[in-house]
Amino acid sequence: MHSKVTSISLVIISILFSGCLTGPSEPSYYYTLHSSGAARPVEMENVSAIERALFVSDASIAEGYERRQLVERIEKTRIRYLSNHLWASDPARAVANIIAQRLDELSLFSSVRRQNRSPSPRYILETSIQQMEIQLSQEPANGFIQMELRLLDRNTQATILQQSFEQNIPLDNKNRETDFTFGVQNFLVQSCDAFFSEVVTILHEKS
């Protein structure tokens, strides 16, 4: 009995001692993307809605950026994943969701869908993220995002408009992950506004 108590005590002491050595684990932080709810840009103020439905498909994320961990570029040819700083949901869905939110706010189409259900929507928006990272390889550190938007006519399979956007995001070293997230969020909203201000002009001219 004495031997059993001694062995249990040693295990407990060992666990406590190892905890003292390793210290408390770093908390995990999860980041979400939400549209700002800003009013329509001036150039869209008097634009009437397109009486067709739009489907926003999940974004295509370039290899290396599709994980939920935020990405840091530490050298020109090396990246690392931040295990304690993560997107709250899959980036492909998160990017598409914020764009769909913004389009709902703009009220440019009769409906904006994230599910491709019947009746089939007339238009399809495809989003491609080529780069989305915190860059420590530069001084000062900054964020960078590069994206392409493409609008398709489902009936004809024709591309109505295709554009690329990119932006450097200034970062405060004390809050760079938070600054990066806000920068990505603002970039997606502003790029959506710029892209669809041209789209509605094109579609109204065709109607």
Side-chain angles (χ1 to χ4, degrees):
M1 179 71 177
H2 176 74
S3 170
K4 189 180 291 186
V5 170
T6 301
S7 64
I8 292 171
S9 299
L10 286 172
V11 170
I12 293 171
I13 291 169
S14 172
I15 293 170
L16 290 173
F17 185 66
S18 78
C20 290
L21 287 177
T22 57
S25 59
E26 186 181 342
S28 293
Y29 299 92
Y30 295 87
Y31 300 91
T32 60
L33 296 173
H34 294 285
S35 183
S36 60
R40 276 186 175 190
V42 174
E43 61 270 21
M44 291 189 195
E45 281 182 355
N46 300 313
V47 172
S48 57
I50 307 295
E51 294 304 316
R52 296 287 187 274
L54 169 69
F55 169 61
V56 180
S57 62
D58 281 355
S60 170
I61 310 291
E63 188 174 358
Y65 302 97
E66 72 274 33
R67 298 189 188 187
R68 285 180 58 190
Q69 294 102 323
L70 269 62
V71 177
E72 279 188 343
R73 183 166 297 279
I74 52 178
E75 293 178 5
K76 189 174 181 179
T77 58
R78 290 176 60 207
I79 63 171
R80 68 184 173 196
Y81 298 101
L82 302 182
S83 58
N84 296 99
H85 296 274
L86 306 99
W87 298 111
S89 62
D90 176 68
R93 294 197 304 273
V95 168
N97 285 343
I98 186 175
I99 290 174
Q101 287 172 18
R102 182 55 181 162
L103 287 168
D104 269 333
E105 292 167 358
L106 294 173
S107 301
L108 297 176
F109 294 86
S110 59
S111 69
V112 177
R113 304 179 192 169
R114 286 285 287 119
Q115 285 79 39
N116 195 2
R117 62 180 186 274
S118 183
S120 297
R122 174 68 182 270
Y123 301 109
I124 301 170
L125 179 67
E126 296 177 347
T127 306
S128 175
I129 301 290
Q130 286 103 15
Q131 218 171 332
M132 187 166 62
E133 63 188 26
I134 295 169
Q135 296 182 334
L136 303 183
S137 55
Q138 301 185 21
E139 186 61 41
N142 67 280
F144 182 75
I145 181 167
Q146 186 177 42
M147 173 181 73
E148 183 177 87
L149 294 174
R150 181 183 181 215
L151 187 71
L152 295 171
D153 185 321
R154 187 171 193 148
N155 290 357
T156 64
Q157 294 301 305
T159 297
I160 295 166
L161 185 63
Q162 184 170 352
Q163 284 185 340
S164 294
F165 301 88
E166 63 179 52
Q167 184 172 308
N168 287 302
I169 302 168
L171 303 177
D172 180 340
N173 278 332
K174 293 181 180 178
N175 303 292
R176 62 182 177 226
E177 293 85 10
T178 302
D179 287 351
F180 176 67
T181 306
F182 278 117
V184 168
Q185 180 172 284
N186 292 337
F187 166 81
L188 292 171
V189 169
Q190 290 164 10
S191 300
C192 180
D193 286 2
F195 183 77
F196 279 94
S197 67
E198 293 194 38
V199 164
V200 291
T201 300
I202 293 168
L203 293 181
H204 278 304
E205 287 175 352
K206 287 185 175 183
S207 61

